[in-house]
Amino acid sequence: MDECPNNTATDFQILAFSTSEMGQFLIFAAILLIYLITITGNLIVFIVICLVPQLHTPMYFFLRNLSISDVIYISSTLPKFLSIIATQDNRIFFTSCISQLYFFLSTGLCDVLILTSMSYDRYVAICIPLMYSMIMNRKLYVLMSTSSWVISSINSLMYAYLVSTLSFCSSHKLEHFYCDLQTLYTITTSDTRSREILMIFEDTLFAFVPFLLTITSYVFIISTILKIRSAKGRFKAFSSCTSHLTTVILFYGPIIFLYFKPKSMDTKKQDMILSLFYVAVVPMLNPFVYTLRNQDFLGPLRKMVKIKSII
Ligand SMILES: *[C@@H]1O[C@H](CO)[C@@H](O)[C@H](O)[C@H]1NC(C)=O
């Protein structure tokens, strides 16, 4: 804080999508709808998995974790953004900014780690099916999901601490719709070079390595599937991982695009729209990806709804 002795950063201003009143209203309505669908969808997934004994498998335990993580993830940013649009008061306290950052980063990383655990689960199920129940035992999957939560919480606690030590003298204006780490870095007056090096290390460890593990699992999975003789068997094996594969593509697609997009496209608005997709749309789609056309899930759900209507 030496760089700025009378640093009075108690709040930031969130400056996102400054459009007309009509535009603001449309954004508000769209985001509210997305938010409600996401919460409802993920809670339905959570409840159905809890209630249906056939769904008490490692894959669905992971999915249950994913749905809770997604609910926290989306709730860390969208409600505040909605209230900013509704009240036109774009201030956010420094402390809420830090807690937003904490919950957003930790559940984001938790999603990555759970998706990676799921790809290991699919790898074992398809490539070494005879060993499945021995390898994916209760101890292992509980360990995998617990460590996903613990690692991601500790990691983002560190980020929250680092950001809380930054000073913001010249500008408190964030051109984003939540307290985004990169955006905070661009307006801080502290030296962020060492933190950026840390971030490269972190990205490698927590984004590139999980991505590589996922790809590797799928290389093995696909080569195993191609060796299956009967078309029916191939289809059955493949359909047991299409949901997971779709989520993986939805999840890593935008990140890869953000990293490798041509520099000429480097406009803040586009980044913001892309991250809106990332922050709001991906968690909304997750429950649909897993439930639509999935008989394991739809069968019990239909039965539950029927029983309710009889009563
Ligand atoms: C997360 O998964 C573990 C097992 O992998 C399970 O015991 C736990 O209940 C799950 N947590 C939630 C919130 O569903």
PDB file of all heavy atoms in Angstrom, residues 2 10 28 52-53 58 98 100 168 187-188 191 239 265 270 273 280 283 285-286 289:
ATOM      1  N   ASP A   2       2.219   1.105  -0.060  1.00  0.00           N
ATOM      2  CA  ASP A   2       3.104   2.269   0.055  1.00  0.00           C
ATOM      3  C   ASP A   2       2.913   3.228  -1.112  1.00  0.00           C
ATOM      4  O   ASP A   2       3.063   4.442  -0.958  1.00  0.00           O
ATOM      5  CB  ASP A   2       4.574   1.831   0.072  1.00  0.00           C
ATOM      6  CG  ASP A   2       4.718   0.401   0.512  1.00  0.00           C
ATOM      7  OD1 ASP A   2       4.185   0.093   1.597  1.00  0.00           O
ATOM      8  OD2 ASP A   2       5.302  -0.382  -0.248  1.00  0.00           O
ATOM      9  N   THR A  10     -12.679   1.912  -0.884  1.00  0.00           N
ATOM     10  CA  THR A  10     -13.657   1.108  -0.166  1.00  0.00           C
ATOM     11  C   THR A  10     -14.655   0.505  -1.134  1.00  0.00           C
ATOM     12  O   THR A  10     -15.335  -0.434  -0.795  1.00  0.00           O
ATOM     13  CB  THR A  10     -14.432   1.948   0.863  1.00  0.00           C
ATOM     14  OG1 THR A  10     -14.939   3.086   0.188  1.00  0.00           O
ATOM     15  CG2 THR A  10     -13.528   2.374   2.008  1.00  0.00           C
ATOM     16  N   PHE A  28     -31.358  -7.229 -18.368  1.00  0.00           N
ATOM     17  CA  PHE A  28     -31.862  -7.620 -17.050  1.00  0.00           C
ATOM     18  C   PHE A  28     -32.775  -8.846 -17.165  1.00  0.00           C
ATOM     19  O   PHE A  28     -32.608  -9.833 -16.452  1.00  0.00           O
ATOM     20  CB  PHE A  28     -32.628  -6.456 -16.414  1.00  0.00           C
ATOM     21  CG  PHE A  28     -33.144  -6.772 -15.038  1.00  0.00           C
ATOM     22  CD1 PHE A  28     -32.332  -6.584 -13.935  1.00  0.00           C
ATOM     23  CD2 PHE A  28     -34.428  -7.258 -14.850  1.00  0.00           C
ATOM     24  CE1 PHE A  28     -32.778  -6.882 -12.659  1.00  0.00           C
ATOM     25  CE2 PHE A  28     -34.891  -7.568 -13.573  1.00  0.00           C
ATOM     26  CZ  PHE A  28     -34.066  -7.369 -12.481  1.00  0.00           C
ATOM     27  N   VAL A  52     -32.894 -41.012  -6.176  1.00  0.00           N
ATOM     28  CA  VAL A  52     -32.962 -42.245  -6.967  1.00  0.00           C
ATOM     29  C   VAL A  52     -31.744 -43.124  -6.705  1.00  0.00           C
ATOM     30  O   VAL A  52     -30.624 -42.757  -7.067  1.00  0.00           O
ATOM     31  CB  VAL A  52     -33.050 -41.908  -8.474  1.00  0.00           C
ATOM     32  CG1 VAL A  52     -33.096 -43.182  -9.300  1.00  0.00           C
ATOM     33  CG2 VAL A  52     -34.273 -41.056  -8.750  1.00  0.00           C
ATOM     34  N   PRO A  53     -31.955 -44.278  -6.076  1.00  0.00           N
ATOM     35  CA  PRO A  53     -30.819 -45.145  -5.719  1.00  0.00           C
ATOM     36  C   PRO A  53     -30.007 -45.609  -6.933  1.00  0.00           C
ATOM     37  O   PRO A  53     -28.792 -45.760  -6.824  1.00  0.00           O
ATOM     38  CB  PRO A  53     -31.483 -46.342  -5.027  1.00  0.00           C
ATOM     39  CG  PRO A  53     -32.833 -45.872  -4.633  1.00  0.00           C
ATOM     40  CD  PRO A  53     -33.231 -44.808  -5.585  1.00  0.00           C
ATOM     41  N   PRO A  58     -20.504 -43.312  -8.981  1.00  0.00           N
ATOM     42  CA  PRO A  58     -19.495 -42.239  -8.925  1.00  0.00           C
ATOM     43  C   PRO A  58     -19.804 -41.093  -9.876  1.00  0.00           C
ATOM     44  O   PRO A  58     -19.738 -39.926  -9.494  1.00  0.00           O
ATOM     45  CB  PRO A  58     -18.211 -42.950  -9.323  1.00  0.00           C
ATOM     46  CG  PRO A  58     -18.419 -44.358  -8.920  1.00  0.00           C
ATOM     47  CD  PRO A  58     -19.881 -44.638  -9.073  1.00  0.00           C
ATOM     48  N   ILE A  98     -13.987  -8.808  -3.196  1.00  0.00           N
ATOM     49  CA  ILE A  98     -13.059  -9.900  -2.871  1.00  0.00           C
ATOM     50  C   ILE A  98     -13.830 -11.212  -2.677  1.00  0.00           C
ATOM     51  O   ILE A  98     -13.392 -12.266  -3.120  1.00  0.00           O
ATOM     52  CB  ILE A  98     -12.265  -9.579  -1.581  1.00  0.00           C
ATOM     53  CG1 ILE A  98     -11.486  -8.278  -1.743  1.00  0.00           C
ATOM     54  CG2 ILE A  98     -11.355 -10.734  -1.199  1.00  0.00           C
ATOM     55  CD1 ILE A  98     -10.184  -8.400  -2.430  1.00  0.00           C
ATOM     56  N   GLN A 100     -16.678 -12.015  -4.003  1.00  0.00           N
ATOM     57  CA  GLN A 100     -17.114 -12.432  -5.336  1.00  0.00           C
ATOM     58  C   GLN A 100     -15.994 -13.200  -6.040  1.00  0.00           C
ATOM     59  O   GLN A 100     -16.200 -14.285  -6.567  1.00  0.00           O
ATOM     60  CB  GLN A 100     -17.448 -11.177  -6.148  1.00  0.00           C
ATOM     61  CG  GLN A 100     -18.669 -11.327  -6.988  1.00  0.00           C
ATOM     62  CD  GLN A 100     -18.992 -10.093  -7.813  1.00  0.00           C
ATOM     63  OE1 GLN A 100     -18.124  -9.370  -8.263  1.00  0.00           O
ATOM     64  NE2 GLN A 100     -20.267  -9.879  -8.030  1.00  0.00           N
ATOM     65  N   PHE A 168      -5.337   0.476  -5.191  1.00  0.00           N
ATOM     66  CA  PHE A 168      -6.032   1.041  -6.351  1.00  0.00           C
ATOM     67  C   PHE A 168      -6.132   2.543  -6.152  1.00  0.00           C
ATOM     68  O   PHE A 168      -7.043   3.018  -5.486  1.00  0.00           O
ATOM     69  CB  PHE A 168      -7.429   0.417  -6.477  1.00  0.00           C
ATOM     70  CG  PHE A 168      -7.394  -1.065  -6.673  1.00  0.00           C
ATOM     71  CD1 PHE A 168      -7.396  -1.925  -5.590  1.00  0.00           C
ATOM     72  CD2 PHE A 168      -7.322  -1.601  -7.951  1.00  0.00           C
ATOM     73  CE1 PHE A 168      -7.347  -3.292  -5.777  1.00  0.00           C
ATOM     74  CE2 PHE A 168      -7.272  -2.978  -8.134  1.00  0.00           C
ATOM     75  CZ  PHE A 168      -7.277  -3.821  -7.055  1.00  0.00           C
ATOM     76  N   ILE A 187      -6.272  -2.325 -13.462  1.00  0.00           N
ATOM     77  CA  ILE A 187      -6.414  -0.987 -12.877  1.00  0.00           C
ATOM     78  C   ILE A 187      -5.624  -0.797 -11.586  1.00  0.00           C
ATOM     79  O   ILE A 187      -5.595   0.299 -11.038  1.00  0.00           O
ATOM     80  CB  ILE A 187      -7.896  -0.619 -12.604  1.00  0.00           C
ATOM     81  CG1 ILE A 187      -8.507  -1.553 -11.568  1.00  0.00           C
ATOM     82  CG2 ILE A 187      -8.702  -0.590 -13.882  1.00  0.00           C
ATOM     83  CD1 ILE A 187      -9.775  -0.986 -10.971  1.00  0.00           C
ATOM     84  N   THR A 188      -4.965  -1.836 -11.109  1.00  0.00           N
ATOM     85  CA  THR A 188      -4.226  -1.659  -9.857  1.00  0.00           C
ATOM     86  C   THR A 188      -2.968  -0.816 -10.101  1.00  0.00           C
ATOM     87  O   THR A 188      -2.413  -0.814 -11.201  1.00  0.00           O
ATOM     88  CB  THR A 188      -3.810  -3.002  -9.248  1.00  0.00           C
ATOM     89  OG1 THR A 188      -3.043  -2.742  -8.075  1.00  0.00           O
ATOM     90  CG2 THR A 188      -2.982  -3.817 -10.201  1.00  0.00           C
ATOM     91  N   ASP A 191       2.518  -3.319  -8.336  1.00  0.00           N
ATOM     92  CA  ASP A 191       3.245  -4.068  -9.345  1.00  0.00           C
ATOM     93  C   ASP A 191       2.689  -5.486  -9.394  1.00  0.00           C
ATOM     94  O   ASP A 191       2.690  -6.194  -8.391  1.00  0.00           O
ATOM     95  CB  ASP A 191       4.728  -4.094  -8.969  1.00  0.00           C
ATOM     96  CG  ASP A 191       5.537  -4.813 -10.016  1.00  0.00           C
ATOM     97  OD1 ASP A 191       4.995  -5.058 -11.114  1.00  0.00           O
ATOM     98  OD2 ASP A 191       6.704  -5.128  -9.732  1.00  0.00           O
ATOM     99  N   SER A 239     -22.235 -43.629 -25.977  1.00  0.00           N
ATOM    100  CA  SER A 239     -23.294 -42.795 -25.405  1.00  0.00           C
ATOM    101  C   SER A 239     -23.136 -42.634 -23.895  1.00  0.00           C
ATOM    102  O   SER A 239     -23.677 -41.694 -23.322  1.00  0.00           O
ATOM    103  CB  SER A 239     -24.675 -43.345 -25.750  1.00  0.00           C
ATOM    104  OG  SER A 239     -24.835 -44.592 -25.152  1.00  0.00           O
ATOM    105  N   MET A 265      -9.025  -9.090 -32.502  1.00  0.00           N
ATOM    106  CA  MET A 265     -10.369  -9.131 -31.946  1.00  0.00           C
ATOM    107  C   MET A 265     -10.399  -8.669 -30.501  1.00  0.00           C
ATOM    108  O   MET A 265     -11.349  -8.912 -29.783  1.00  0.00           O
ATOM    109  CB  MET A 265     -10.903 -10.566 -31.997  1.00  0.00           C
ATOM    110  CG  MET A 265     -11.252 -11.021 -33.379  1.00  0.00           C
ATOM    111  SD  MET A 265     -11.829 -12.693 -33.320  1.00  0.00           S
ATOM    112  CE  MET A 265     -13.288 -12.530 -32.313  1.00  0.00           C
ATOM    113  N   GLN A 270     -16.295  -7.582 -26.601  1.00  0.00           N
ATOM    114  CA  GLN A 270     -16.351  -8.980 -27.010  1.00  0.00           C
ATOM    115  C   GLN A 270     -15.926  -9.897 -25.880  1.00  0.00           C
ATOM    116  O   GLN A 270     -16.539 -10.928 -25.648  1.00  0.00           O
ATOM    117  CB  GLN A 270     -15.459  -9.200 -28.223  1.00  0.00           C
ATOM    118  CG  GLN A 270     -16.245  -9.148 -29.508  1.00  0.00           C
ATOM    119  CD  GLN A 270     -15.344  -8.965 -30.695  1.00  0.00           C
ATOM    120  OE1 GLN A 270     -14.164  -8.625 -30.558  1.00  0.00           O
ATOM    121  NE2 GLN A 270     -15.881  -9.189 -31.864  1.00  0.00           N
ATOM    122  N   ILE A 273     -18.769 -10.183 -23.488  1.00  0.00           N
ATOM    123  CA  ILE A 273     -19.871 -11.031 -23.945  1.00  0.00           C
ATOM    124  C   ILE A 273     -19.468 -12.502 -23.861  1.00  0.00           C
ATOM    125  O   ILE A 273     -20.239 -13.348 -23.409  1.00  0.00           O
ATOM    126  CB  ILE A 273     -20.286 -10.644 -25.385  1.00  0.00           C
ATOM    127  CG1 ILE A 273     -20.950  -9.267 -25.346  1.00  0.00           C
ATOM    128  CG2 ILE A 273     -21.230 -11.668 -25.982  1.00  0.00           C
ATOM    129  CD1 ILE A 273     -21.240  -8.670 -26.683  1.00  0.00           C
ATOM    130  N   ALA A 280     -22.544 -17.322 -17.330  1.00  0.00           N
ATOM    131  CA  ALA A 280     -23.980 -17.553 -17.174  1.00  0.00           C
ATOM    132  C   ALA A 280     -24.495 -18.746 -17.965  1.00  0.00           C
ATOM    133  O   ALA A 280     -25.324 -19.499 -17.467  1.00  0.00           O
ATOM    134  CB  ALA A 280     -24.737 -16.297 -17.593  1.00  0.00           C
ATOM    135  N   PRO A 283     -23.042 -22.876 -16.953  1.00  0.00           N
ATOM    136  CA  PRO A 283     -23.701 -23.553 -15.824  1.00  0.00           C
ATOM    137  C   PRO A 283     -25.180 -23.807 -16.071  1.00  0.00           C
ATOM    138  O   PRO A 283     -25.752 -24.726 -15.499  1.00  0.00           O
ATOM    139  CB  PRO A 283     -23.512 -22.602 -14.644  1.00  0.00           C
ATOM    140  CG  PRO A 283     -22.776 -21.441 -15.124  1.00  0.00           C
ATOM    141  CD  PRO A 283     -22.421 -21.612 -16.547  1.00  0.00           C
ATOM    142  N   LEU A 285     -26.424 -24.724 -18.995  1.00  0.00           N
ATOM    143  CA  LEU A 285     -26.577 -25.857 -19.910  1.00  0.00           C
ATOM    144  C   LEU A 285     -26.249 -27.193 -19.264  1.00  0.00           C
ATOM    145  O   LEU A 285     -26.787 -28.222 -19.662  1.00  0.00           O
ATOM    146  CB  LEU A 285     -25.692 -25.642 -21.144  1.00  0.00           C
ATOM    147  CG  LEU A 285     -26.111 -24.481 -22.035  1.00  0.00           C
ATOM    148  CD1 LEU A 285     -25.192 -24.380 -23.236  1.00  0.00           C
ATOM    149  CD2 LEU A 285     -27.548 -24.658 -22.512  1.00  0.00           C
ATOM    150  N   ASN A 286     -25.361 -27.184 -18.251  1.00  0.00           N
ATOM    151  CA  ASN A 286     -24.939 -28.442 -17.638  1.00  0.00           C
ATOM    152  C   ASN A 286     -26.073 -29.399 -17.298  1.00  0.00           C
ATOM    153  O   ASN A 286     -26.043 -30.551 -17.712  1.00  0.00           O
ATOM    154  CB  ASN A 286     -24.099 -28.182 -16.392  1.00  0.00           C
ATOM    155  CG  ASN A 286     -22.630 -28.040 -16.754  1.00  0.00           C
ATOM    156  OD1 ASN A 286     -22.235 -28.383 -17.864  1.00  0.00           O
ATOM    157  ND2 ASN A 286     -21.842 -27.543 -15.838  1.00  0.00           N
ATOM    158  N   VAL A 289     -27.602 -30.891 -20.469  1.00  0.00           N
ATOM    159  CA  VAL A 289     -26.713 -31.828 -21.148  1.00  0.00           C
ATOM    160  C   VAL A 289     -26.826 -33.210 -20.522  1.00  0.00           C
ATOM    161  O   VAL A 289     -26.851 -34.229 -21.204  1.00  0.00           O
ATOM    162  CB  VAL A 289     -25.263 -31.316 -21.044  1.00  0.00           C
ATOM    163  CG1 VAL A 289     -24.279 -32.385 -21.460  1.00  0.00           C
ATOM    164  CG2 VAL A 289     -25.072 -30.072 -21.876  1.00  0.00           C
TER     165      VAL A 289
END
